[in-house]
Amino acid sequence: MTQSYERLGFSNDFMFGKIMQNPKICKPFLERVLGIKIYRIEYIEPQKQIDLKVDARSVRLDIYVEDDEHTVYDCEMQTTPNRNLPKRSRYYQGQIDINLIDKGMDYKFLKKSLIIFICTFDPFGKGTYVYTFRNVCKEFPDLELGDDAWKIFLSTKGTNTDSVSQELVDLLRYIEKSELPQGCQDTLLCDMDASLKAARTNSEWRKDFMTLEMLKRECHEEGREEGLEEGLKKGENRFGALCKKLLAEGRYKDLEQATVDAEYRQQLYTKYGL
């Protein structure tokens, strides 16, 4: 069921992407997440779509920006636990790298890139708020590969505050609940909350959201129909293989029974390894 637009929180993928188009939110947001100062950011393209070739899986990036040091950031909101999240981060980083460098260019021109997933669950079950991954040597853990490829997973479900700032904890808690703590004086959180409230009353964004939800439903229905059609094709192929085996063995009565008896047909599939 589609959630009411007026009740969407900051963790909603659509709302997150829209609000983070504001550099006054995005820049301090990245600074707090990474614990660094950024002079300025430049939007390469908000919610950028990367399509490399017709038969490749496309990538839509929620927030795709570059800072004054030419570091590229892709920031994604993730609200559904997905065991393929690490592989997804690898795929995103690979696609971004290909997008950053033209054919024939030297690899030295590849920019430092950070893939940041903000998760409303604990992606690795270790109870921390931040998981940072960089390529290091297994035999010599102090030896970094130096490929300038980082992957950072933030968890709003963290419990261990020893290694993170209270400001980051407050940020992640706000992302999860979209509610300011009593008497909040945190400028970033107040700005985020004000932007969220303004976004909820933005009629153009509301129309965009409803259109997007309608397209999702249509794609879902088409996918179900395609899945049913594909299932029927596979079923036909499977039954066709069974028919060939039974005919080759002269088992005409078994073939006749398998045609009308689904349970018996399944037993034969198992017997013949189909």
Side-chain angles (χ1 to χ4, degrees):
M1 182 177 179
T2 302
Q3 185 179 3
S4 167
Y5 178 78
E6 290 74 16
R7 297 179 62 85
L8 293 181
F10 197 85
S11 63
N12 175 268
D13 183 65
F14 175 88
M15 196 63 81
F16 173 75
K18 287 292 188 181
I19 293 175
M20 293 288 278
Q21 290 177 23
N22 181 353
K24 293 182 179 179
I25 300 292
C26 187
K27 178 177 170 291
F29 182 93
L30 290 173
E31 289 178 329
R32 184 166 300 187
V33 165
L34 302 171
I36 62 174
K37 290 298 294 181
I38 300 174
Y39 178 67
R40 64 174 177 81
I41 60 171
E42 176 182 346
Y43 287 84
I44 301 175
E45 186 178 335
Q47 294 194 314
K48 178 177 176 62
Q49 182 90 13
I50 295 179
D51 291 298
L52 297 179
K53 54 184 180 181
V54 174
D55 59 347
R57 181 186 291 271
S58 65
V59 171
R60 185 185 65 81
L61 308 178
D62 285 348
I63 301 298
Y64 189 46
V65 298
E66 181 176 340
D67 68 11
D68 48 298
E69 298 294 331
H70 303 296
T71 297
V72 172
Y73 304 90
D74 167 37
C75 199
E76 306 288 321
M77 186 63 69
Q78 187 72 28
T79 58
T80 304
N82 187 329
R83 61 188 176 89
N84 290 322
L85 204 56
K87 292 289 183 69
R88 181 184 296 184
S89 69
R90 170 182 167 183
Y91 188 78
Y92 277 29
Q93 202 146 39
Q95 299 290 60
I96 289 172
D97 284 346
I98 294 174
N99 187 67
L100 285 174
I101 193 168
D102 293 328
K103 186 176 180 180
M105 289 179 64
D106 195 293
Y107 294 123
K108 68 181 180 182
F109 292 107
L110 277 175
K111 300 171 183 176
K112 180 178 180 180
S113 63
L114 281 78
I115 306 295
I116 304 170
F117 277 95
I118 305 166
C119 306
T120 56
F121 54 91
D122 189 338
F124 301 103
K126 300 297 184 182
T128 190
Y129 286 93
V130 184
Y131 298 90
T132 303
F133 295 88
R134 296 165 68 176
N135 291 318
V136 299
C137 179
K138 180 179 178 181
E139 290 76 16
F140 303 95
D142 293 334
L143 177 61
E144 291 193 20
L145 182 60
D147 58 351
D148 279 339
W150 294 39
K151 299 176 182 67
I152 300 173
F153 299 82
L154 304 177
S155 168
T156 64
K157 292 293 193 292
T159 56
N160 184 0
T161 60
D162 293 342
S163 58
V164 295
S165 68
Q166 185 59 47
E167 288 78 11
L168 179 56
V169 172
D170 292 343
L171 172 62
L172 293 173
R173 287 177 178 169
Y174 175 77
I175 288 173
E176 181 171 41
K177 298 181 180 299
S178 294
E179 295 177 0
L180 289 178
Q182 191 71 26
C184 179
Q185 299 296 317
D186 188 313
T187 302
L188 174 58
L189 299 191
C190 290
D191 287 347
M192 288 169 61
D193 196 62
S195 295
L196 176 61
K197 290 176 179 176
R200 286 170 172 169
T201 62
N202 188 310
S203 59
E204 287 298 317
W205 288 4
R206 185 183 190 281
K207 184 168 65 176
D208 290 345
F209 175 76
M210 299 307 294
T211 301
L212 181 62
E213 289 299 301
M214 181 182 67
L215 291 173
K216 285 181 179 179
R217 286 195 298 272
E218 290 178 355
C219 289
H220 179 68
E221 290 301 319
E222 289 177 5
R224 286 179 59 186
E225 292 175 4
E226 290 177 5
L228 177 60
E229 183 178 349
E230 184 65 23
L232 289 172
K233 287 181 180 178
K234 289 182 179 179
E236 291 170 358
N237 292 338
R238 191 183 189 193
F239 185 62
L242 177 62
C243 290
K244 288 181 180 179
K245 288 184 178 294
L246 293 176
L247 287 172
E249 296 177 5
R251 299 176 59 180
Y252 304 109
K253 288 186 178 180
D254 287 330
L255 176 57
E256 183 178 350
Q257 184 178 350
T259 303
V260 297
D261 188 339
E263 184 176 350
Y264 183 63
R265 186 165 61 248
Q266 189 61 48
Q267 293 175 5
L268 292 176
Y269 284 150
T270 302
K271 177 181 177 179
Y272 287 103
L274 298 174

